[in-house]
Amino acid sequence: MDASSTKDAKSPSQDAVDELEGDGRHETISLEPDLDLAISSVLATKDPLDSSDFDPIEYINLIFPNEQSLATIDNVLTKLRTKIRRMDIEMRELVRSQTDAGQQTASDLRDAQKAITELYSNYERIREKAVQSEKMVQEITKDIKSLDQAKNNLTVSVIVLRRLHMLVSALDQLRGAVSRRQYTDAASLLQVVNQLLVHFKGFRSVDQIAVLLEDAAKLQVDLKRAIFGEFEGAFVGGTLRSQYQTLHEACRVVDVIGAETRQELVNWYCELQLKDYRNIFRINQEVAGLADVSRRYAWFKRLLKTYDDDHCAAFPNDWRVAEAASEKFCQDTRKDLSEQLAKADHNMDVKVLLQAIQTTVDFEGKLHKRFDPRDLEAEKLTEVEVNQAPPGSKFHKIISSCFDPYLRHYIDSQDKVLSDLLETYRSRPTATEEESVLASSTDLFYSYRQTLGAFAKLSTKKPFLDLCILFGKWLRNYADMLLSKLPSDEKKAIGNEDIRSICLIINTADYCAATTTQLEEKLVEKIDEEFRPSVNFNLERDGFVNVSGSGIRALVRGIENSIEPAFNTMLKKPWGTVEAVGDQSDYVNTIATTLQFSVGAVKQHFASNKYFRTFCDKFSESFLGRYYNNIFKCKPISEVGAEQMLLDTHALKTILLQMANIGAEPGTQPPSTYLKLLNKGVTKVEQLLKVVLRPYEPVEGIVETYLLLFNDYSIANFQKVLELKGLKRAEQQAVMEAFQRRIPPDGNKSVGDLAGAGASTNATAAALAAAGAKFNMRKFVAGMNIPASMKLG
């Protein structure tokens, strides 16, 4: 087959491919990613051929997934040719439409430019005509504006001339009213003149008006001088009673002149009235001292009465002349008293000082009630607050503030009084006390309350803080005094009277701690706000709490000393030769009898049950510790002796349980904290006795029991237990060798001197069972009953 025949034999599909390729007629165009994305969003087509990441191989595989689908290749080619022709047609139409649109746009642009040129020409013509019209209107209205301005000027001139005429007339009438002493008319005319003068302030450049303004000012000065002359003539010349009406009217003129002139007149009156006061109480030292401060206030009360009876009619009520005179008097008095206090500082009589302060505070309160009346009942003020000027009043400490720096003399005197009081308290025997707290404590706080109430009227500033510090000092001293009344002999047994005395001190310390908190709150309430953070009695409260704790310890120590004979009996008993376990030992009965009376007395004399609970906790802890230590002093202890001690320990536990419930309702359980503390101490004793109870042979048994109960690898501690059992040196050697074999490489673990090895009863029983221990519990259980006479209920 030749080449031509081969060429003619091409398949239709090959022709389609050639046609699609078009010998390079269709060129692939690559666009920017952003532009391609924008085109895709506009077209919003799902055709794969329109995708920017079109893959022809993937597309062909999608159309022809298998060989059988190749049978439809002619149909696919036909569709593709059709689509290509349709796209070519669309592209030609778009190109043609874009060409026509460009030509039309250029034509529209030329038309728009032409229209703008014509519009600008019309605007220029209109503007020229508007300017011409404005000039024509100005020419027409020129004469009208001149006439209107002339009319306005003429009106203003007429008004000014009319006011000027009124001012001249008012000044003439004012001169006449002043010359005739017609001050009511003068007040009205002066008010008119002042109103008119406001309009002429801008005409001072006019000579005639400037002269007129000067005449008005001179007339006002003359009027002021005439009014002051009226007052001087009336008050100094003795013609007051005949001039009440004239002076009262003159005051209205003064109100018109201004507040400055009114204040000047009031100050003149105050100076005139207080002139005699200064002459009497500054020059004459016989009546100027602190002891005569009441004379000052009596003198001013007479002055106020004179004002009320004779002078008040001359002044308007709204001038408050009496109040101004009172303020001036208080200022002068404060200055005088400050000088007198400075002179008497080194030889201050505290009694005179306090009397002067009290008189001054009462005087300030009376001034406040007169010039600042309030509904005292509605404000629920106390009697003390009613009798003094409250904070916020202009008379509050207006005079008495000068005493503040010298109140230290009063505080020093109180320091001496409290010192003498404490010495008295110290010498009082507690046996004579009848209440549950020392009478001295209630006396002390009563004294504090009285001093606080009186001092709060004198000052609530720095001196009040000094008083708070003084209170704290003597509270601490009182706590030290209480502490000194506790028994100092730590080995002395205490009886019922001693117990009552100690309980009395504990009750008193508790009362003082609570009352100190109340005192602090009251002091904080009274003192000024700036000093409140400095008022703190935590140290004093801690001191009283320490007294209570020391009292509890003294009770515990004293009652333990009371049962020392019982412990001595325990130590003297030959525990190594006990042959049988019987009832509880005699020393247990002695302890029960002693505690029955001692603890009952403690319960009876405590004012608060919380301290009895604390006592029970401390006593049980100390007692069991002492009992535990005494066991080591009872060596040697045989196995039977250890059983007897276990019985005694249980009996003591029962006694301690009953001790905590003494005076309580039947069936009442002790507090859970007490039970935990008691069980811990008893368990520790039982653990020790159970190790002693264990036979030393085989040696591994006692070693195992000790390690299970105490978890202690101390050779010294273990040797003490062996010595307690009474083992000989040879016997101890074998046991110690077995113990040393059980010590781990890092086995330095120790619980101290056999302390703190607390295990529960169940754990102890399990450990002993695992070690093969055998107990003779029959006799132990049989001896549990305590005689009724020994019970503490």
Side-chain angles (χ1 to χ4, degrees):
M1 185 177 293
D2 56 10
S4 59
S5 60
T6 304
K7 182 178 180 181
D8 293 338
K10 285 182 179 180
S11 66
S13 60
Q14 183 64 36
D15 294 337
V17 170
D18 293 341
E19 184 177 352
L20 286 175
E21 291 179 352
D23 296 330
R25 287 175 298 175
H26 295 282
E27 183 179 357
T28 300
I29 301 175
S30 298
L31 302 177
E32 293 293 332
D34 294 342
L35 179 60
D36 187 70
L37 181 62
I39 294 173
S40 299
S41 62
V42 173
L43 295 176
T45 178
K46 297 182 179 180
D47 193 339
L49 295 174
D50 295 328
S51 176
S52 59
D53 56 351
F54 174 73
D55 185 354
I57 297 176
E58 181 180 355
Y59 183 71
I60 292 173
N61 291 333
L62 180 66
I63 296 175
F64 304 109
N66 48 46
E67 294 182 358
Q68 289 78 10
S69 62
L70 293 176
T72 62
I73 189 171
D74 293 335
N75 294 333
V76 172
L77 289 174
T78 301
K79 291 180 179 179
L80 290 176
R81 292 190 192 101
T82 301
K83 186 170 184 178
I84 290 172
R85 285 194 296 270
R86 187 164 56 249
M87 291 180 65
D88 289 341
I89 294 171
E90 290 178 357
M91 291 176 64
R92 284 194 296 271
E93 290 177 352
L94 287 173
V95 171
R96 188 180 297 113
S97 64
Q98 289 297 320
T99 302
D100 295 342
Q103 295 174 353
Q104 183 64 35
T105 299
S107 175
D108 292 343
L109 181 60
R110 287 192 296 270
D111 293 342
Q113 290 174 344
K114 182 178 180 182
I116 291 171
T117 302
E118 293 177 355
L119 180 61
Y120 181 75
S121 299
N122 293 334
Y123 164 74
E124 287 294 327
R125 286 195 298 272
I126 294 172
R127 189 175 67 81
E128 291 175 358
K129 289 181 180 181
V131 172
Q132 294 174 0
S133 299
E134 183 180 2
K135 291 180 179 180
M136 186 180 298
V137 171
Q138 289 177 351
E139 290 294 333
I140 295 173
T141 61
K142 181 178 180 181
D143 296 335
I144 298 175
K145 286 184 178 181
S146 299
L147 292 174
D148 187 57
Q149 184 64 37
K151 177 183 177 182
N152 291 336
N153 293 339
L154 183 60
T155 301
V156 172
S157 300
V158 170
I159 293 174
V160 171
L161 289 174
R162 186 180 299 158
R163 288 175 177 170
L164 184 60
H165 178 267
M166 293 172 61
L167 177 59
V168 173
S169 176
L171 288 174
D172 290 339
Q173 294 179 36
L174 181 58
R175 290 190 187 95
V178 172
S179 63
R180 295 188 298 273
R181 301 174 64 190
Q182 296 175 346
Y183 292 112
T184 302
D185 295 338
S188 301
L189 290 169
L190 181 60
Q191 192 170 8
V192 171
V193 168
N194 289 337
Q195 292 176 354
L196 291 173
L197 287 174
V198 174
H199 299 289
F200 291 97
K201 289 183 177 179
F203 295 92
R204 290 185 180 274
S205 58
V206 180
D207 294 340
Q208 293 81 355
I209 294 179
V211 172
L212 188 61
L213 293 177
E214 291 178 2
D215 290 343
K218 183 179 179 182
L219 180 59
Q220 189 162 317
V221 172
D222 294 340
L223 180 57
K224 175 180 175 181
R225 186 181 301 113
I227 292 174
F228 273 77
E230 293 282 1
F231 276 91
E232 290 175 0
F235 283 95
V236 180
T239 60
L240 178 62
R241 291 185 178 277
S242 62
Q243 290 187 324
Y244 283 144
Q245 185 63 31
T246 302
L247 295 178
H248 194 80
E249 293 173 356
C251 289
R252 293 306 176 193
V253 178
V254 173
D255 279 333
V256 177
I257 294 176
E260 184 177 348
T261 303
R262 181 177 67 183
Q263 187 62 46
E264 185 179 348
L265 182 58
V266 172
N267 289 340
W268 172 84
Y269 172 79
C270 295
E271 293 293 329
L272 178 66
Q273 298 304 313
L274 294 176
K275 182 178 180 181
D276 291 341
Y277 171 72
R278 298 190 184 102
N279 291 336
I280 296 172
F281 291 96
R282 287 185 181 175
I283 298 176
N284 188 359
Q285 293 298 319
E286 294 181 359
V287 295
L290 294 178
D292 299 304
V293 69
S294 59
R295 293 187 179 186
R296 296 175 179 268
Y297 306 137
W299 183 94
F300 188 71
K301 289 177 184 177
R302 292 193 294 271
L303 176 63
L304 287 180
K305 188 176 186 306
T306 301
Y307 174 83
D308 294 337
D309 295 342
D310 300 330
H311 299 174
C312 66
F315 299 98
N317 292 332
D318 59 343
W319 279 27
R320 303 175 73 90
V321 176
E323 186 174 346
S326 299
E327 289 186 66
K328 187 64 177 175
F329 168 80
C330 291
Q331 293 167 1
D332 289 349
T333 303
R334 183 177 65 235
K335 181 179 178 182
D336 292 349
L337 292 180
S338 297
E339 295 176 356
Q340 295 298 323
L341 288 166
K343 292 178 182 178
D345 189 14
H346 298 293
N347 299 306
M348 185 69 69
D349 188 332
V350 176
K351 185 176 180 180
V352 172
L353 174 67
L354 293 180
Q355 184 61 41
I357 297 174
Q358 185 60 57
T359 304
T360 302
V361 170
D362 292 342
F363 176 72
E364 292 170 345
K366 291 175 181 178
L367 291 179
H368 169 73
K369 285 193 288 187
R370 168 167 179 162
F371 299 113
D372 188 15
R374 298 182 298 172
D375 188 353
L376 302 178
E377 183 176 352
E379 294 188 10
K380 298 180 179 180
L381 299 177
T382 65
E383 183 179 354
V384 174
E385 292 172 331
V386 169
N387 293 330
Q388 61 182 344
S393 169
K394 65 173 62 178
F395 295 104
H396 176 65
K397 298 185 71 65
I398 189 173
I399 303 175
S400 58
S401 61
C402 70
F403 293 100
D404 283 0
Y406 303 94
L407 284 173
R408 67 179 187 277
H409 295 290
Y410 172 68
I411 295 176
D412 291 342
S413 69
Q414 285 298 306
D415 191 13
K416 188 176 184 308
V417 169
L418 291 173
S419 176
D420 296 340
L421 203 60
L422 196 67
E423 287 302 318
T424 304
Y425 297 159
R426 197 184 303 276
S427 62
R428 285 185 188 177
T430 57
T432 60
E433 300 287 343
E434 298 180 357
E435 301 295 333
S436 60
V437 298
L438 294 176
S440 59
S441 63
T442 56
D443 291 346
L444 178 65
F445 283 104
Y446 178 78
S447 173
Y448 276 11
R449 184 165 64 250
Q450 295 294 103
T451 305
L452 169 61
F455 201 89
K457 297 169 60 178
L458 309 181
S459 175
T460 55
K461 296 184 180 297
K462 179 61 168 57
F464 195 91
L465 179 61
D466 295 337
L467 181 68
C468 297
I469 295 173
L470 179 70
F471 283 173
K473 168 187 172 182
W474 286 107
L475 285 174
R476 294 192 297 273
N477 289 343
Y478 187 77
D480 292 340
M481 187 270 291
L482 292 178
L483 205 58
S484 68
K485 287 182 174 290
L486 293 174
S488 57
D489 188 353
E490 297 187 356
K491 297 183 179 180
K492 178 185 175 182
I494 58 176
N496 187 43
E497 197 58 40
D498 295 324
I499 292 175
R500 178 179 179 275
S501 177
I502 297 173
C503 291
L504 195 60
I505 292 172
I506 295 173
N507 295 338
T508 302
D510 182 56
Y511 164 77
C512 290
T515 311
T516 297
T517 300
Q518 299 172 11
L519 174 66
E520 179 183 355
E521 293 172 354
K522 195 67 176 178
L523 292 172
V524 170
E525 176 187 339
K526 291 290 185 182
I527 200 169
D528 284 1
E529 187 173 357
E530 60 177 310
F531 299 104
R532 287 176 183 173
S534 300
V535 180
N536 188 304
F537 284 167
N538 288 337
L539 184 61
E540 289 72 18
R541 274 189 295 271
D542 292 343
F544 288 118
V545 172
N546 179 56
V547 172
S548 299
S550 298
I552 294 292
R553 289 191 292 273
L555 278 177
V556 171
R557 183 174 61 247
I559 295 177
E560 280 187 351
N561 292 336
S562 300
I563 61 177
E564 187 64 26
F567 280 134
N568 291 334
T569 302
M570 172 186 175
L571 296 177
K572 293 177 181 179
K573 186 173 182 178
W575 295 98
T577 60
V578 175
E579 297 179 354
V581 177
D583 292 336
Q584 60 272 6
S585 302
D586 292 339
Y587 76 90
V588 176
N589 298 334
T590 304
I591 291 174
T593 304
T594 304
L595 293 183
Q596 179 180 7
F597 295 103
S598 299
V599 179
V602 171
K603 176 69 173 180
Q604 176 186 355
H605 296 305
F606 267 143
S608 175
N609 194 47
K610 67 178 180 180
Y611 285 109
F612 180 71
R613 292 197 299 269
T614 303
F615 163 77
C616 290
D617 291 346
K618 298 296 183 183
F619 179 80
S620 296
E621 184 178 15
S622 178
F623 173 82
L624 290 173
R626 196 165 184 176
Y627 178 64
Y628 180 83
N629 292 332
N630 277 346
I631 292 176
F632 283 94
K633 299 178 183 179
C634 294
K635 60 184 179 181
I637 301 175
S638 65
E639 296 177 10
V640 178
E643 288 190 31
Q644 181 64 49
M645 278 192 174
L646 279 172
L647 174 65
D648 294 344
T649 301
H650 183 81
L652 290 173
K653 178 180 179 182
T654 304
I655 294 171
L656 293 176
L657 285 173
Q658 293 176 348
M659 179 190 75
N661 279 340
I662 189 169
E665 295 293 331
T668 304
Q669 289 293 325
S672 59
T673 54
Y674 178 77
L675 293 176
K676 290 180 181 178
L677 186 147
L678 182 60
N679 288 332
K680 179 180 179 181
V682 171
T683 299
K684 182 179 177 182
V685 174
E686 289 177 343
Q687 287 174 335
L688 176 62
L689 293 175
K690 288 172 182 177
V691 175
V692 176
L693 186 66
R694 185 77 166 88
Y696 82 94
E697 289 181 340
V699 293
E700 288 77 7
I702 190 172
V703 171
E704 184 68 23
T705 301
Y706 177 82
L707 294 177
L708 284 173
L709 291 176
F710 289 100
N711 193 26
D712 175 33
Y713 293 95
S714 170
I715 296 176
N717 287 343
F718 184 64
Q719 188 169 6
K720 288 182 180 180
V721 176
L722 299 183
E723 292 173 355
L724 188 60
K725 287 178 64 66
L727 297 183
K728 298 178 181 180
R729 289 290 181 182
E731 296 170 337
Q732 290 185 25
Q733 185 65 31
V735 179
M736 291 300 296
E737 291 176 357
F739 181 79
Q740 290 176 346
R741 289 195 296 270
R742 295 293 303 275
I743 298 177
D746 56 346
N748 293 324
K749 185 176 180 182
S750 173
V751 295
D753 190 11
L754 291 181
S760 66
T761 304
N762 293 335
T764 301
L768 291 174
K774 297 181 180 179
F775 294 94
N776 187 359
M777 297 300 294
R778 181 179 59 80
K779 293 183 179 181
F780 180 75
V781 174
M784 295 297 291
N785 296 324
I786 298 177
S789 60
M790 298 297 175
K791 295 186 178 180
L792 297 175

